[in-house]
Amino acid sequence: MKNKNHFLTITCSFLTLLLYIGTNNTLAQSAYSDYGYADRYTFYEEKFDEPDESWETYLSGKSQSKIEYGALVYTSLNDKAHAKYTTVDGMDWNKDWELEVRLRRVYGKETSSSDIIWDRESGNSNNMHFGFTGNGKYNVSEYVDEYKRIVDFTYSDHVNKEDYNKLTVRKVRANYYYFFNNQFIGSSDYKQTKGDYVGFMVPPNSKIEVDYIRVSYLEKNYSTVSTADVDYDINGSFQKEAVYREDFDVSSSTWEPYTPGERMGRVHDGYLNWISLNESAYSISHTLDDMDWSRDWQIETRMMHLDGKQNSSNDLTWNNNDDGSYHFGFTAEGKYVLSKLESSGYNPIVPFTSSYLINTDGFNKMTIRKVGETYYYFINETLISAHKGHTVSSNKIGLMVPPNSTLQVDYLEVTYLNSGANYSTKSQKQGISSQTQLSKPTNIKQRLVGSWSLKSNTENSKIIFSRSGFAEIIADNVSIGGANTIDESTGAKYSLVYEIDESQSPMHIDFIFMSGGMEIGRMKGIFDLVNNNSIKIKVAESIDQPRPVSLNESETFTRIRSSIISR
């Protein structure tokens, strides 16, 4: 007999998987990107930008530390290792937090470890260590009268022997997580932090340079995105008020700088060609005089990678200043990325992510929208991410071209978004709509994109298929899936993706549960696309059941035209 609550049964099965992941913290937090820029709240930071007597010391015949060119240079002058600390007063170590240090080994004993140190109290030498050696090994240790290895000395290609390395420790609930240059290398149980001292250790007869040290609270941004905010066309929610628009119809000294052998801007035929002539990426910007960033606003451009480096990002930038600019871009390989450029380098908010939303041989519309405290990022009118916690300290916006590449730009537009009447955007060129003319879906997976509803006497279920390959299942007000979802009861981070095989009859569809980049479970199913408004689908009721062989007793879902959601 057919299960009268089929999709509710599927939902319960996935919730069982969530409980499993919630009890396995290593699996749930094993990606550096699990916490983005908006999820970190800096409590203490030292960038060594100016002299500081608390850091600069000299002990004759023992050690020396001094600040030079934006780094702390720390040297052991004898055959002993030396440690330097600072006190993070007022830090609540019971919360979730992150300690991050960027440092490099200049010279010295190759087999001894250059470490970051934490959890030390005054008058007690016990502490935690995370470091690397000159011969390319990382390690994690606890020192209690002697070293106890948590992660043994391990050779790794992640270790830069000659350049800077970023070492990150995260305390999340009851576990420590260790990352080396953004790569997860291990975890251990968290023990109650005893002291407020954090710092680093230089090996015997060695020299290290420290770029920065930062301690941050970790707090997930659980903000939800409503259907109205997901839609690119805001359907009567806002009226656009022009702030700035450049269509590149006439020559402009602002947009046509030229430095021989370095960079060149050229306006012609209604486009800007922004060109890097060497191995460096270059930014070009415009200052928005009197821009009120506290209001709701939108920045949008339409641009294309013409030639050059395939794996570097072509960026729309904003908040361009020395304190850190935001970058939203795509590569010619078909990936998008969102990051903040700081003195320490690019801090990923959304890492490089493959997506067929990106036109690799045509124009892409990039849109940044601020509504209230939330910032929404769209590619070709499809939402790819939403974040809180951004800060604005500059009126500059602009564009960045990759090394030895050419970026072609159609327009750059800034508008305020006012509550009120409907709005529509018309291009100032040839009077055509500025919406990107995406090709009509030709394959089955593209035709599935959207929301589908099952309404019967026994069920009220919904399936949402996104353009970027994610799925969400809703049954009796219980929802699972989507992209980068947090389960509130367990704290587990997961995604639900879908795959189809058009070559089979009936066609195959799999709902795949992912966490930490790993497949945790797979629900196997079959389906038939009756027409553009109707699909028949039958899915196994649990992850351990085989794929159905017949569409007999399958459910029929109808498309919901009014609320197609892309997550």
Side-chain angles (χ1 to χ4, degrees):
M1 178 179 292
K2 179 184 174 183
N3 188 332
K4 293 183 178 180
N5 296 287
H6 181 59
F7 274 88
L8 181 59
T9 301
I10 292 174
T11 303
C12 292
S13 182
F14 273 116
L15 290 176
T16 301
L17 282 173
L18 280 181
L19 291 174
Y20 163 73
I21 290 179
T23 59
N24 189 333
N25 288 325
T26 301
L27 192 59
Q29 304 295 337
S30 59
Y32 185 85
S33 59
D34 283 341
Y35 286 89
Y37 182 82
D39 303 320
R40 301 185 185 104
Y41 301 85
T42 300
F43 185 82
Y44 169 82
E45 184 175 46
E46 176 57 66
K47 295 182 178 180
F48 306 111
D49 290 331
E50 54 188 44
D52 187 336
E53 292 181 357
S54 65
W55 286 105
E56 296 182 289
T57 59
Y58 175 69
L59 299 175
S60 179
K62 295 183 178 180
S63 65
Q64 181 182 28
S65 60
K66 55 183 178 179
I67 294 175
E68 294 181 338
Y69 307 108
L72 179 70
V73 181
Y74 190 28
T75 309
S76 167
L77 303 174
N78 59 17
D79 58 357
K80 296 183 181 298
H82 295 275
K84 181 165 288 295
Y85 298 93
T86 187
T87 303
V88 186
D89 293 322
M91 180 71 180
D92 184 354
W93 300 100
N94 291 317
K95 293 184 176 181
D96 292 345
W97 51 264
E98 175 182 280
L99 166 65
E100 189 167 272
V101 177
R102 186 170 180 266
L103 60 87
R104 77 180 184 98
R105 174 185 174 274
V106 180
Y107 64 73
K109 192 172 181 180
E110 285 199 346
T111 57
S112 291
S113 185
S114 303
D115 294 349
I116 65 173
I117 308 173
W118 72 100
D119 191 13
R120 180 175 179 177
E121 58 185 339
S122 178
N124 191 334
S125 61
N126 296 340
N127 49 32
M128 298 287 292
H129 290 245
F130 178 23
F132 64 96
T133 66
N135 59 1
K137 298 180 180 180
Y138 60 70
N139 72 102
V140 182
S141 304
E142 181 181 9
Y143 183 83
V144 181
D145 299 326
E146 63 180 3
Y147 286 103
K148 175 185 176 183
R149 300 299 174 194
I150 296 172
V151 177
D152 208 353
F153 283 90
T154 304
Y155 281 110
S156 174
D157 292 337
H158 299 321
V159 178
N160 293 321
K161 297 179 182 179
E162 307 294 335
D163 206 347
Y164 276 97
N165 292 283
K166 182 165 70 174
L167 286 74
T168 308
V169 178
R170 286 179 182 161
K171 180 264 180 187
V172 180
R173 293 186 292 279
N175 289 80
Y176 279 130
Y177 301 91
Y178 309 105
F179 299 86
F180 202 98
N181 289 326
N182 295 1
Q183 302 298 314
F184 175 71
I185 58 97
S187 66
S188 64
D189 293 338
Y190 169 71
K191 297 180 181 180
Q192 180 65 43
T193 302
K194 302 175 292 298
D196 292 330
Y197 286 104
V198 300
F200 29 81
M201 176 175 281
V202 61
N205 294 309
S206 301
K207 178 187 286 188
I208 63 173
E209 288 182 355
V210 184
D211 182 25
Y212 67 85
I213 179 170
R214 179 189 303 127
V215 180
S216 308
Y217 287 123
L218 298 176
E219 183 178 339
K220 287 302 298 181
N221 182 353
Y222 290 106
S223 62
T224 57
V225 181
S226 70
T227 301
D229 293 329
V230 168
D231 290 338
Y232 175 84
D233 296 315
I234 311 181
N235 295 330
S237 299
F238 293 100
Q239 182 179 28
K240 293 176 73 174
E241 175 186 339
V243 175
Y244 170 80
R245 180 162 177 123
E246 176 58 66
D247 284 296
F248 306 110
D249 289 330
V250 296
S251 296
S252 167
S253 58
T254 300
W255 297 107
E256 295 187 285
Y258 175 59
T259 305
E262 294 185 4
R263 58 181 188 151
M264 179 173 68
R266 181 169 177 246
V267 173
H268 69 103
D269 296 331
Y271 299 100
L272 167 69
N273 279 5
W274 179 228
I275 306 167
S276 167
L277 302 173
N278 59 22
E279 293 295 328
S280 297
Y282 287 99
S283 292
I284 190 170
S285 62
H286 172 78
T287 301
L288 300 169
D289 295 326
D290 303 321
M291 178 73 178
D292 184 357
W293 296 99
S294 66
R295 293 178 60 177
D296 293 341
W297 50 260
Q298 177 173 291
I299 303 173
E300 186 170 271
T301 188
R302 186 171 175 265
M303 55 189 185
M304 174 171 56
H305 177 89
L306 278 187
D307 58 55
K309 196 168 184 180
Q310 300 288 299
N311 60 356
S312 289
S313 183
N314 306 266
D315 293 348
L316 169 61
T317 66
W318 59 284
N319 193 55
N320 300 357
N321 62 16
D322 294 336
D323 293 332
S325 57
Y326 292 98
H327 290 241
F328 179 35
F330 65 92
T331 71
E333 293 178 330
K335 298 180 179 180
Y336 60 76
V337 63
L338 173 61
S339 60
K340 186 177 183 183
L341 178 60
E342 301 176 295
S343 59
S344 58
Y346 284 97
N347 192 340
I349 301 172
V350 176
F352 283 94
T353 303
S354 297
S355 174
Y356 56 80
L357 288 173
I358 297 169
N359 297 319
T360 56
D361 56 358
F363 280 98
N364 290 282
K365 182 189 287 188
M366 314 293 291
T367 307
I368 305 165
R369 180 179 294 162
K370 173 190 175 290
V371 181
E373 297 181 355
T374 305
Y375 296 78
Y376 302 93
Y377 295 87
F378 298 82
I379 295 178
N380 292 323
E381 303 184 3
T382 297
L383 181 77
I384 59 94
S385 192
H387 294 271
K388 289 185 178 180
H390 293 343
T391 56
V392 182
S393 56
S394 168
N395 286 338
K396 290 185 177 181
I397 63 170
L399 310 156
M400 175 174 279
V401 62
N404 288 315
S405 301
T406 300
L407 174 65
Q408 187 170 87
V409 187
D410 183 15
Y411 66 87
L412 179 62
E413 179 185 70
V414 182
T415 53
Y416 288 129
L417 302 177
N418 300 323
S419 297
N422 296 343
Y423 76 81
S424 60
T425 304
K426 297 294 183 181
S427 172
Q428 297 181 13
K429 297 178 181 180
Q430 300 176 349
I432 63 172
S433 169
S434 69
Q435 295 184 0
T436 304
Q437 299 300 310
L438 300 177
S439 59
K440 183 178 179 179
T442 56
N443 63 51
I444 298 298
K445 188 169 184 178
Q446 287 178 290
R447 292 171 65 188
L448 282 179
V449 170
S451 297
W452 302 82
S453 176
L454 169 67
K455 293 182 179 180
S456 67
N457 294 331
T458 58
E459 288 192 66
N460 184 3
S461 302
K462 182 187 295 184
I463 306 177
I464 302 169
F465 297 105
S466 81
R467 285 187 176 90
S468 46
F470 297 101
E472 182 176 358
I473 298 175
I474 303 169
D476 283 4
N477 297 319
V478 178
S479 173
I480 60 159
N484 298 321
T485 303
I486 302 292
D487 179 65
E488 296 288 353
S489 62
T490 65
K493 180 178 180 179
Y494 71 98
S495 298
L496 182 63
V497 302
Y498 66 100
E499 291 181 353
I500 68 169
D501 185 352
E502 301 177 34
S503 65
Q504 303 298 320
S505 180
M507 291 180 285
H508 288 187
I509 184 166
D510 288 357
F511 294 95
I512 307 166
F513 192 88
M514 305 290 294
S515 181
M518 299 174 60
E519 178 179 330
I520 304 305
R522 180 182 293 247
M523 248 1 148
K524 299 176 181 178
I526 54 177
F527 78 104
D528 178 33
L529 188 61
V530 181
N531 54 49
N532 283 335
N533 298 308
S534 180
I535 56 174
K536 289 184 177 181
I537 187 167
K538 186 173 179 61
V539 182
E541 294 178 4
S542 65
I543 60 172
D544 56 355
Q545 288 192 359
R547 188 185 310 278
V549 296
S550 170
L551 284 169
N552 292 338
E553 297 184 336
S554 61
E555 286 92 353
T556 299
F557 285 76
T558 56
R559 185 185 294 276
I560 306 172
R561 287 290 182 183
S562 59
S563 58
I564 297 177
I565 300 177
S566 298
R567 296 179 178 226

